[in-house]
Amino acid sequence: MLPAGYYTLTRSGGDEDNNVRGDLDVRDSLTITGAGAETTTIDANSLGRVFHVVSGTLTMSGVTLTGGTASNGAGVSVADGARLNLSQSIVRNNTASQGGGGIHTADTGAVLVLDQVQVRNNSADYGGGVYVWKGSLTATDTTVDGNTVDKWGAGVYVENGSASLTRVTSSNNSTPLQGGGLFLEGNGATLSVSNSTISGNHADEGGGIYVWSGTLSVDSSTIANNTASFGSGLFFGGADPATLTSTLVAGNNGSSNSNRAITSGGYNLDSGSSLGLSGTGDISNGAAQLAALANNGGFTQTHALLAGSAAINAGNPAAPATDQRGQARIGTPDIGAYELSITVNATPVNNVPGAQSAIEDSWLAIGGISVTDADQGGGVTAHELYSVALSVSNGRLEVTLAGAAVITAGTNVSAALTLGGSQSDINATLATLRYQGLPD
């Protein structure tokens, strides 16, 4: 356990891999558990990167890594054959002169796993937030925001490697060249994006996503409000395959949503027509009706759907069971990363007995009357049963109040009265109901 505190590296003198000076070198499997990213900070003090995972597995949580400088991987560099498991942490304000301002995988065998991590405000020549060179990246519930580069891939840059992003938001990253949010390059390189949001990024080409080569697949995601001179949402520099399924591409500025047509897996929404959609359930020139990027629940920010959006109930029936926030997709899913949950007030069901026979002027006990409300206990108080009205056209009614039930209108032993209270107390009162007809 690493207690709360601000830990500053102080040994200067260049880069080496034996913990003599500069960064912290991990040469065997190690676990570091901080007291929380807001209270436990490791600052490299511009003496080198913060961590270099030379070999073994570094499992780290609850920390902030900042102040790193290096040619590659200024926050953390993961060497060939090594692994970094980073969770519930922040990597911010690190600077690389080449690739990976925040985090860098150095070769084919390098493995990077991020869970509930914020990669913010890092800078590099390329791969401002994360640079995956030949290695692999698996990111879940992670935010990559506000990173900058001089060249390519301001948010995440995958080169000759693989990346899987689930419930990830890449936002407000910026480059003067290609790939504001995500950049993919390399024969055999793959980038899989699911239940994620690519928003508010800027580039000259590919404001949201830039694919030079490699295979891109995007499912149940939102690509919105990115800007670029060419391909504001997506830009494809080559002819490698890119498949979008149940994905919303809208509100991107400066040019069309894409510089060419994509392969559709169906159920996509394009606010224009540049995606060339022709698959099952696809919508071109659709009204997305998106709210601003905001904290709508979950670990990452999303764009909520507003009433009237063409994305509502138009998504892939086989979409993930939950949206980016972890909220259940209800009925026919919505297109994109956000599922709009509309709470419907169910109509209460009146349970009544069959026909009754009464002796004139005598009281008749009427059993079997009750009310069932499906919303009871559902968490929406305004939708729960709280009132039942009773009336007869010829006679009078009498009840014995049970629990906290009250008569809110009319009077007892009259032709009309209204009961108020919980469903259980109202039903207990209804069980005492008696009727007397009026004499001739």
Side-chain angles (χ1 to χ4, degrees), residues 15 31 37 49 59-60 69 93 133 135 143 177 182 200 254 260 274 321 350 354:
D15 187 18
T31 297
R49 65 175 60 90
T59 300
M60 186 161 48
T69 57
N93 300 108
W133 163 248
T143 295
L177 297 179
L182 308 173
R260 70 168 176 83
S274 60
N350 297 321

Side-chain angles (χ1 to χ4, degrees), residues 155-201:
V156 177
Y157 181 8
V158 181
E159 183 177 8
N160 298 315
S162 64
S164 175
L165 311 182
T166 304
R167 299 191 301 273
V168 168
T169 292
S170 180
S171 54
N172 305 311
N173 304 289
S174 181
T175 172
L177 297 179
Q178 290 92 16
L182 308 173
F183 188 107
L184 177 65
E185 176 185 11
N187 294 328
T190 61
L191 174 57
S192 173
V193 181
S194 176
N195 259 344
S196 295
T197 297
I198 314 299
S199 174
N201 302 287

Side-chain angles (χ1 to χ4, degrees), residues 115-154:
D115 184 21
Q116 298 177 35
V117 173
Q118 298 179 41
V119 183
R120 297 183 177 276
N121 303 324
N122 303 283
S123 61
D125 197 37
Y126 44 88
V130 181
Y131 176 42
V132 180
W133 163 248
K134 292 187 177 181
S136 67
L137 163 66
T138 302
T140 306
D141 294 325
T142 289
T143 295
V144 182
D145 180 86
N147 302 283
T148 59
V149 293
D150 296 325
K151 295 178 180 175
W152 316 291

